[in-house]
Amino acid sequence: MEAGFNKLQDFISNSRNIVFFGGAGVSTESGIPDFRSVDGLYNQSYKYPPETILSHQFFMKKTLDFFNFYRNKMLFLNAKPNKAHEKLAELESLGKLKAVITQNIDGLHQMAGSKNVLELHGSVLRNYCIKCHTFYDVTAVINGEPIPKCTCSGIIKPDVVLYGESLDSNTINQSVNAIANADVLIIGGTSLGVYPAAGLIDYYKGNKLVLINKTSTPMDTRANLVINDSIGEVLGKIEL
Ligand code: ZN
């Protein structure tokens, strides 16, 4: 483990073009549960499974049930950035890190100070009227019980990618570009089982692919360095 960490420190110290790709594990260390993990939301008893509730079809047909679940299980507005978020923001401010690509929707990277954050699945902090496209912050969803409505009477929808919806093509393109041009690619807190993570990594052309995850992943054999540990603990120890 020590040799692995030293290699990571070396990669980071000697690069000015680092890209970070993060999954749910980055947020779980801030106390936000991963709804895909076995001890996460899928194990909790609800009338419908979360992947059904968090779908476009469900949002349209059972809007009230959607918002009841969403307010209770998807909003963690008291969560704070952890050492991973903080170190990544520092690396960017030093000009060493070019982009954070995240599958998380909590806005914690921006809260930590990161600027170029590519949110593949959107953000709970942005919401918009599906009729007139006026934007609202998250308080409109919290205070708009039972179903948040725009002044035009349209429903206010969270700007998060639901199952059955496509990812924003502009965000995808920027992510592909960042990865294709990266010198060091650090992937953290994801088992890489979920689209589009696996596909995006194919664009990386370098030889400093680092995987930091508590458990092994299907991509381990492709990585130049694998560290099975907490992403916050590992990045937190990096010296700048
Ligand atoms: Zn409206």
Side-chain angles (χ1 to χ4, degrees), residues 72-193:
N72 287 333
K73 298 293 176 190
M74 301 303 286
L75 297 179
F76 299 92
L77 301 176
N78 294 322
K80 294 279 178 288
N82 60 54
K83 285 184 268 183
H85 299 103
E86 286 162 6
K87 190 67 67 166
L88 292 165
E90 262 182 276
L91 284 166
E92 185 186 29
S93 71
L94 293 170
K96 293 172 71 66
L97 180 134
K98 300 306 177 195
V100 168
I101 303 164
T102 181
Q103 297 177 286
N104 300 323
I105 57 175
D106 46 52
L108 288 181
H109 285 292
Q110 292 92 332
M111 200 188 285
S114 286
K115 301 282 183 257
N116 190 25
V117 183
L118 301 168
E119 297 172 307
L120 293 171
H121 296 160
S123 172
V124 298
L125 302 181
R126 292 188 303 269
N127 304 272
Y128 64 93
C129 169
I130 58 175
K131 219 160 141 190
C132 73
H133 290 93
T134 299
F135 267 82
Y136 288 88
D137 67 22
V138 70
T139 55
V141 172
I142 295 165
N143 299 332
E145 288 193 72
I147 295 174
K149 294 272 177 69
C150 178
T151 48
C152 85
S153 85
I155 295 167
I156 298 173
K157 181 183 181 292
D159 191 11
V160 300
V161 180
L162 301 176
Y163 289 96
E165 294 179 341
S166 48
L167 304 186
D168 177 61
S169 58
N170 193 33
T171 308
I172 290 282
N173 290 340
Q174 288 179 39
S175 302
V176 166
N177 273 335
I179 289 173
N181 292 308
D183 166 34
V184 175
L185 176 61
I186 303 171
I187 300 168
T190 171
S191 57
L192 293 166

